[in-house]
Amino acid sequence: MTKRIAFQGEPGAYSHEACRNARPDMEALPCRTFEDVIESVRSGEADLAMLPVENSTYGRVADIHRLLPHSGLHIVDEAFVRVHINLLGVPGAKLKDITEAHSHLVLLPQCANFLKAHGIRGRVSPDNARAAREVSEAGEKHSAALASELAGEIYGLELLARHIEDSDDNTTRFLVMSREDDRSRRGEHGMITSFVFQVRNIPAALYKAMGGFATNGINMTKLESYMVDGSFTATQFYADIVGHPEDRNVQLAMDELQHFTTNVEVLGVYPAARPRG
């Protein structure tokens, strides 16, 4: 039986591309919302979830950090997708024919220079893959979509202009999540441990909680805060560190963390897809 990996969006979305790149042997399962992605894995409909957590241009993906601690899933891998934006038109269309381009609100500003240079008006769509599908269905030569090459393949669109994004380093980081935890040592670039915690209501609690990572020589590559249940006084932190929970220095740092925090929860231990340094 073919295993499945769930993602949010329509076929051809960048999350779909992440699934293909990271798990080419698995069937990609599109879902309407992030909650649906998580539920599909929890129910057994899918084996893995592919969830975007942050983008190098726009920062963290809204709601994801709120969902992770209560998902019942474990991070088992990470993946990066370079966001290449392409101008896709119906068969027979030429670049000179295009007067409007449809895509997600986030993508349109990322290729503003190209659109301005060619006199193309941006049109907002709820999703870039959906924009590709709707352009294909409409069949109008003056209308194009800004999306991945995968979306062009799926919806039978022609590549009118390739990699038109203004920035050459726009990348999205994804987490691969599973029902089963896997803390085996694997990968070529070391291990990442991700966890969430809340600090105790005492002076300098966060400073003291972080002290153990500094004194034990642990590289903390991410520390983000977000409100809990809409409260301005209850703050939860999400952290990524380089290391495995069985490493002696990680054990010492986590022990010290426990003294100044509450509700420490490890979300996953997984191989780094890229060197952290």
Side-chain angles (χ1 to χ4, degrees):
M1 184 177 177
T2 302
K3 292 189 175 183
R4 309 171 93 187
I5 181 167
F7 69 94
Q8 187 277 326
E10 297 199 19
Y14 289 102
S15 292
H16 187 185
E17 184 176 335
C19 292
R20 275 204 174 183
N21 293 344
R23 295 293 190 277
D25 57 329
M26 299 181 73
E27 177 186 346
L29 175 67
C31 298
R32 189 176 63 85
T33 66
F34 293 132
E35 288 88 347
D36 291 341
V37 172
I38 291 170
E39 183 56 33
S40 72
V41 178
R42 293 177 63 174
S43 69
E45 183 181 7
D47 300 276
L48 298 175
M50 179 68 74
L51 294 170
V53 288
E54 58 189 327
N55 175 269
S56 60
T57 300
Y58 287 92
R60 72 184 181 193
V61 177
D63 292 335
I64 288 297
H65 290 83
R66 175 181 61 82
L67 294 173
L68 293 184
H70 310 291
S71 68
L73 305 181
H74 307 273
I75 305 170
V76 294
D77 210 347
E78 68 175 351
F80 292 86
V81 168
R82 174 69 174 83
V83 181
H84 288 301
I85 305 174
N86 309 280
L87 187 72
L88 307 172
V90 299
K94 305 296 182 185
L95 177 57
K96 61 182 179 61
D97 299 325
I98 305 303
T99 60
E100 60 183 39
H102 301 254
S103 197
H104 191 278
L105 178 64
V106 170
L107 253 64
L108 290 170
Q110 295 184 33
C111 44
N113 292 340
F114 178 91
L115 298 180
K116 181 178 180 181
H118 292 86
I120 300 173
R121 297 187 301 274
R123 293 287 184 264
V124 176
S125 175
D127 180 79
N128 57 80
R130 176 176 173 177
R133 174 174 60 81
E134 292 179 341
V135 165
S136 178
E137 292 172 349
E140 298 176 343
K141 287 190 175 183
H142 73 280
S143 184
L146 301 173
S148 67
E149 291 186 59
L150 176 59
E153 295 173 13
I154 291 173
Y155 301 111
L157 298 176
E158 294 186 353
L159 186 63
L160 304 182
R162 191 169 186 260
H163 298 182
I164 63 173
E165 61 273 9
D166 296 337
S167 174
D168 61 1
D169 59 359
N170 189 6
T171 301
T172 299
R173 180 187 179 217
F174 294 83
L175 297 178
V176 180
M177 305 195 72
S178 171
R179 290 184 299 276
E180 293 79 32
D181 196 8
D182 182 1
R183 301 196 178 185
S184 63
R185 295 181 185 270
R186 56 201 190 277
E188 300 177 356
H189 305 298
M191 299 293 289
I192 302 294
T193 298
S194 296
F195 57 94
V196 292
F197 63 92
Q198 294 181 34
V199 294
R200 294 171 56 194
N201 188 23
I202 58 175
L206 179 60
Y207 173 80
K208 294 175 181 178
M210 295 296 95
F213 296 96
T215 56
N216 286 286
I218 295 172
N219 183 11
M220 179 171 285
T221 59
K222 179 164 295 297
L223 178 64
E224 293 188 344
S225 64
Y226 54 101
M227 292 187 297
V228 178
D229 298 326
S231 171
F232 286 99
T233 57
T235 300
Q236 185 150 283
F237 292 87
Y238 170 95
D240 290 339
I241 62 170
V242 177
H244 190 284
E246 294 178 356
D247 295 340
R248 181 57 180 162
N249 62 338
V250 173
Q251 291 177 350
L252 292 172
M254 296 299 282
D255 286 345
E256 190 164 340
L257 177 71
Q258 297 278 356
H259 289 297
F260 304 104
T261 60
T262 60
N263 303 321
V264 178
E265 180 182 354
V266 175
L267 300 179
V269 182
Y270 51 97
R274 295 179 173 182
R276 301 292 206 273

